[in-house]
Amino acid sequence: MKTVLTFILLAILCIPAAAESSYSGAAGIKTVGSSDSLDNMYYIKPFASLTMEYSAIEITADYHLWYGYTVTDSLFNEEKINIHEGGGTICVTPSDMFSMSGSYRYLTGDSSYTAHRFGGEAELAFEDFSLVAEYDGKKYEYTFNDNVKAFIHTVSFGPEFDLSEKLSLD
């Protein structure tokens, strides 16, 4: 419900730009699989998104359902839960050389699962490569045999190379 209200508010605020903006949408389903030394996890993730582009600004609102996601307690017992994820991203590209974006997502589901996920990215693009800095944070909590809480964050920085114009298969 919060996601729908947030999207409606964004749409109302953007009405003056609507005449000059473009819209696109996507929907689908992903099958996700991962494994580590203790566990194999497989779940499906239907999704839908709507994007509005206006000048140098791109706004995306999206929804994901994590169906059959596995959580564990402190003794590594497993339970499959469903999680609803709603959120949005704003990307600003003031020039061909620079862009930055920020995102926020709220997740809620079975076993009192709640999470806040947020992130950002900045990119400085040159002719043959780009420098990219990224941050992703996730604070989550759920109850399964005991109360599980965690805060995970990832920071990355490095060059990216576009090889599409440098390689050919003739």
Side-chain angles (χ1 to χ4, degrees):
M1 185 61 164
K2 290 180 186 179
T3 303
V4 173
L5 293 175
T6 302
F7 179 74
I8 291 170
L9 179 61
L10 283 173
I12 291 170
L13 292 174
C14 296
I15 285 175
E20 299 175 28
S21 61
S22 65
Y23 294 89
S24 62
I29 188 166
K30 297 177 185 178
T31 302
V32 182
S34 66
S35 65
D36 59 24
S37 61
L38 299 172
D39 190 24
N40 293 322
M41 182 186 322
Y42 301 97
Y43 59 96
I44 61 171
K45 196 173 178 181
F47 67 92
S49 68
L50 179 63
T51 300
M52 183 190 81
E53 293 183 51
Y54 175 73
S55 187
I57 299 172
E58 181 179 292
I59 300 170
T60 302
D62 55 23
Y63 170 79
H64 300 258
L65 170 63
W66 303 42
Y67 182 76
Y69 184 78
T70 304
V71 294
T72 59
D73 64 9
S74 58
L75 298 175
F76 299 104
N77 296 310
E78 296 179 353
E79 179 182 44
K80 292 199 177 287
I81 65 170
N82 300 323
I83 300 171
H84 300 273
E85 174 186 3
T89 303
I90 297 176
C91 181
V92 178
T93 308
S95 73
D96 290 339
M97 283 191 66
F98 180 71
S99 68
M100 60 188 294
S101 65
S103 64
Y104 173 78
R105 291 173 170 30
Y106 178 73
L107 297 87
T108 184
D110 303 335
S111 295
S112 302
Y113 187 98
T114 58
H116 300 274
R117 188 171 199 159
F118 41 90
E121 178 180 303
E123 179 177 3
L124 190 57
F126 299 98
E127 187 172 325
D128 294 327
F129 71 98
S130 299
L131 293 175
V132 180
E134 299 174 316
Y135 174 80
D136 184 55
K138 180 180 178 184
K139 181 179 180 182
Y140 65 90
E141 178 177 355
Y142 59 88
T143 304
F144 171 48
N145 295 334
D146 53 7
N147 196 22
V148 179
K149 293 182 182 183
F151 178 69
I152 302 169
H153 61 98
T154 306
V155 177
S156 65
F157 175 79
E160 288 184 3
F161 300 92
D162 182 8
L163 300 177
S164 61
E165 294 181 17
K166 307 294 181 206
L167 299 175
S168 67
L169 300 171
D170 293 336

